[in-house]
Amino acid sequence: MNIIQQTINWLENKLEEPVRNEEVVQVTGYSFYHFHRLFQQKVGMSLHEYVRNRRLTIAAQRLIYTNERILDIAFTYQFESQEAFTRAFRKAHGLPPGEYRMLMRTLLENPKEVEVMKGWFISGTNPQSYEMGRDFQEVHKGNASGYLRSVMATKDEEFGTVMQQFQASKYCGKRLKLSCFIKSMNIDGFAGLWMRIDAKDGDTLQFDNMSNRPIKGTTGWNHYSVVLDVPPNAGVIYFGVLLQGSGSIWMDEFAFEEVDDKTPTTNLNTPDSMPAEPVNLNFDLELE
């Protein structure tokens, strides 16, 4: 597990406490300013902004699922006053805390609304073995996350995926990074973020599904990414999160970013073991 993910896991247990710069130094082993630059480069926001967003997300859940006073929630998540909490909450969620509590509780009375995921569809080798939807309780940021979970016994190699597709024209000739936050529970196969780039004729040009760095078992919210080159002849980009076997995963905050050549690709289409030149052309060599 890299230092960014280790720090994110540590921060999850600090959301109700102050996070001091010197503690970050002790946890990471880096100077605060150096680690701050690494964190912002990887996650796309400052460490303190990340903590603030997570606190607002968990506060939103407590507004929905508990009857705690707004003032108590504000103090729990390190806001100096209810007014400061209300300003930050309105900016993040579009409503003041009291109105948000009433609106979301009304929405959750209709379970059909919870299961809608606009723009996403489910696929895989056996999609009927899996269920997808929206979760308002297990959230990394904002109001909801997406989930994918097994709903019946699965055979080896069967998988389900939550996915989208879009035209590649905007990114042709560029290096593209896809990232998101994923949380898992009781995965007995593996899960992973994935992206595939196909040519206009349907041939697969680039692909990564994290099979060489799989998500297994039960994990907290972690930040994952895949990086692929989009060739000039690319036609379609597919992406999503897959689950092989049984278990549950949650996903939140998908993001696409153009990166330069200094960011290595994670393409699995060209194995590292492929020889540079043809071998044994005269059939003289046996297997070792």
Side-chain angles (χ1 to χ4, degrees):
M1 183 180 297
N2 65 39
I3 191 62
I4 301 294
Q5 292 184 359
Q6 289 177 358
T7 306
I8 287 172
N9 290 343
W10 174 72
L11 290 171
E12 285 294 304
N13 296 316
K14 294 284 291 183
L15 297 178
E16 297 183 10
E17 305 171 23
V19 176
R20 299 181 175 85
N21 293 357
E22 55 269 25
E23 291 180 302
V24 176
V25 171
Q26 292 176 354
V27 169
T28 64
Y30 293 98
S31 73
F32 178 79
Y33 296 103
H34 177 66
F35 180 75
H36 182 270
R37 288 194 297 270
L38 292 177
F39 190 93
Q40 190 155 20
Q41 182 181 15
K42 178 71 173 178
V43 181
M45 67 184 75
S46 72
L47 186 144
H48 290 300
E49 184 181 2
Y50 174 88
V51 171
R52 187 178 182 87
N53 286 336
R54 286 294 292 143
R55 285 171 172 165
L56 289 168
T57 298
I58 304 302
Q61 294 174 20
R62 290 176 78 156
L63 285 167
I64 299 170
Y65 296 104
T66 77
N67 292 318
E68 292 178 82
R69 296 188 308 164
I70 294 174
L71 178 60
D72 293 337
I73 294 175
F75 286 154
T76 295
Y77 292 103
Q78 303 301 301
F79 289 88
E80 64 272 17
S81 67
Q82 184 169 328
E83 291 74 18
F85 175 65
T86 297
R87 286 195 301 270
F89 193 92
R90 184 196 290 270
K91 185 176 180 180
H93 296 279
L95 291 169
E99 291 183 27
Y100 178 89
R101 170 176 266 169
M102 289 188 293
L103 176 64
M104 294 303 293
R105 284 181 173 179
T106 301
L107 174 63
L108 289 173
E109 290 175 359
N110 182 357
K112 293 182 179 179
E113 293 291 331
V114 179
E115 297 174 355
V116 173
M117 288 179 65
K118 182 177 180 180
W120 295 89
F121 62 95
I122 192 168
S123 184
T125 58
N126 198 28
Q128 63 269 25
S129 296
Y130 297 89
E131 176 185 78
M132 60 175 286
R134 298 172 70 199
D135 194 321
F136 289 93
Q137 191 164 7
E138 291 289 351
V139 181
H140 188 264
K141 181 182 177 183
N143 298 328
S145 67
Y147 70 81
L148 177 67
R149 63 188 175 209
S150 58
V151 292
M152 61 180 68
T154 59
K155 299 178 181 178
D156 291 343
E157 307 302 323
E158 286 187 343
F159 73 91
T161 179
V162 177
M163 62 178 293
Q164 289 194 35
Q165 64 187 60
F166 61 95
Q167 295 181 5
S169 55
K170 178 180 176 182
Y171 297 103
C172 285
K174 299 175 180 177
R175 183 163 289 186
L176 186 61
K177 176 181 177 180
L178 166 66
S179 62
C180 80
F181 285 88
I182 297 175
K183 179 177 181 176
S184 67
M185 184 172 69
N186 298 333
I187 297 177
D188 67 357
F190 89 94
L193 178 67
W194 66 270
M195 179 165 57
R196 192 181 85 214
I197 299 171
D198 285 4
K200 294 177 182 178
D201 62 7
D203 287 344
T204 297
L205 303 173
Q206 297 261 313
F207 177 69
D208 180 21
N209 66 355
M210 289 182 55
S211 59
N212 61 346
R213 52 196 193 284
I215 303 169
K216 294 176 176 287
T218 298
T219 65
W221 286 108
N222 282 322
H223 191 253
Y224 300 94
S225 64
V226 299
V227 180
L228 299 178
D229 288 323
V230 185
N233 62 330
V236 184
I237 298 174
Y238 301 87
F239 72 97
V241 172
L242 67 87
L243 172 60
Q244 183 184 87
S246 64
S248 301
I249 51 175
W250 293 262
M251 63 218 78
D252 207 349
E253 297 182 77
F254 281 86
F256 284 94
E257 176 189 2
E258 295 176 26
V259 294
D260 58 26
D261 293 343
K262 295 179 181 178
T263 303
T265 75
T266 60
N267 180 31
L268 297 178
N269 254 12
T270 305
D272 293 336
S273 58
M274 183 178 294
E277 298 178 353
V279 297
N280 200 21
L281 300 184
N282 293 324
F283 306 100
D284 293 334
L285 302 176
E286 295 182 359
L287 288 174
E288 295 180 355

